[in-house]
Amino acid sequence: MSNRARKDRRKKKQAERLQKTLSLVFIGVLIIGLAAWLSSQNNRPSEALASRDVLALGEEVYAANCATCHGANGEGHGEVEVAPALDATEHAWHHADGQLQGLIVNGGEQMPPFGESLTNDEVVAVIRYFQTWWSEGQLNSQQSLSEQDPLR
Ligand code: HEC
C-alpha cells in the first residue's frame, strides 16, 4: 500500500472515530436533557405534598362542593360574589394548612361548614388540590408557615 493510501485510511478512521464520539456526546446530552425535564415535571410543588390519588380525590371534592362559589379553577367570585379566589391571585396562600382546614371544617362568615359532609381525608385532599394552583414560591412560604399550624 502506498504511503498516500495509508494516510488516507488513517484520516478516514480518525473521522469515523470523531463521528462516533460526537454521536455519543449528542445522545448523552439528549438523555441528560430528558432526565432534567422529567424531574422538573415531577417536582411540581403540589406533587411533593400529595400523591396523584389524593389530588384526584381533591379535584372531585372541589368540583362537587367548592367550585360554585370559588370558581371551577379557583378564580373566585362565583355564585357568592364575595367568595375569594383560591388560586395564586389572591390571599388563600397566606393561611397555614391548619387554618385552611379549620375554615373548611367550621365555615366562615358566609362560607358553609363542611365538617359534617366531608371526611377529614376529603378536607385534606381538597386543600392539597387547590394548593396546586399556587406558585412554587407561594407554596414554599405557606408550607413554612404551616409548620406552626399543621393539618390535623
Ligand atoms: C356558598 C359559597 C361557598 C362555598 C360552597 C365554599 N366557600 Fe370557601 N369561602 C366562601 C366565602 C364567602 C369565603 C370568605 C370567608 C367568609 O366570609 O366566609 C370563603 C373563604 C374560603 C377560604 C379562605 C380564602 C382566603 O383567601 O382567605 C378557603 C381556603 C375556602 N373558602 C375554601 C373552600 C373550599 C375548599 C370549599 C369546598 C369544600 C369552599 N370553600 C366552599 C364561600 C364559599
Side-chain angles (χ1 to χ4, degrees):
M1 199 185 286
S2 74
N3 247 356
R4 174 81 197 254
R6 213 172 287 140
K7 225 178 180 174
D8 280 354
R9 229 174 66 180
R10 210 181 313 134
K11 268 202 180 143
K12 206 170 144 208
K13 270 228 167 100
Q14 269 175 353
E16 277 171 6
R17 217 175 296 140
L18 184 66
Q19 213 169 26
K20 229 186 216 166
T21 310
L22 285 179
S23 330
L24 282 179
V25 167
F26 180 69
I27 290 171
V29 167
L30 269 187
I31 290 174
I32 291 169
L34 188 68
W37 180 77
L38 280 176
S39 83
S40 78
Q41 296 299 297
N42 287 338
N43 278 346
R44 289 207 17 241
S46 54
E47 287 178 11
L49 294 180
S51 69
R52 267 167 217 280
D53 287 351
V54 168
L55 294 180
L57 173 64
E59 184 172 9
E60 237 171 73
V61 170
Y62 185 86
N65 299 280
C66 324
T68 48
C69 291
H70 290 288
N73 299 300
E75 65 276 21
H77 316 290
E79 241 164 53
V80 172
E81 171 51 33
V82 293
L86 302 184
D87 63 12
T89 60
E90 288 178 23
H91 204 81
W93 62 278
H94 290 261
H95 304 297
D97 283 352
Q99 201 184 356
L100 294 170
Q101 187 177 30
L103 174 67
I104 296 166
V105 168
N106 302 315
E109 273 168 50
Q110 297 191 54
M111 175 160 147
F114 288 91
E116 302 274 296
S117 54
L118 297 179
T119 66
N120 192 49
D121 282 353
E122 288 169 332
V123 171
V124 169
V126 80
I127 292 172
R128 291 308 184 224
Y129 175 65
F130 66 72
Q131 286 176 324
T132 65
W133 294 324
W134 302 346
S135 74
E136 196 169 351
Q138 290 171 343
L139 186 65
N140 285 341
S141 118
Q142 190 270 349
Q143 282 301 291
S144 34
L145 190 66
S146 299
E147 284 165 21
Q148 316 303 319
D149 187 4
L151 290 172
R152 273 144 284 176

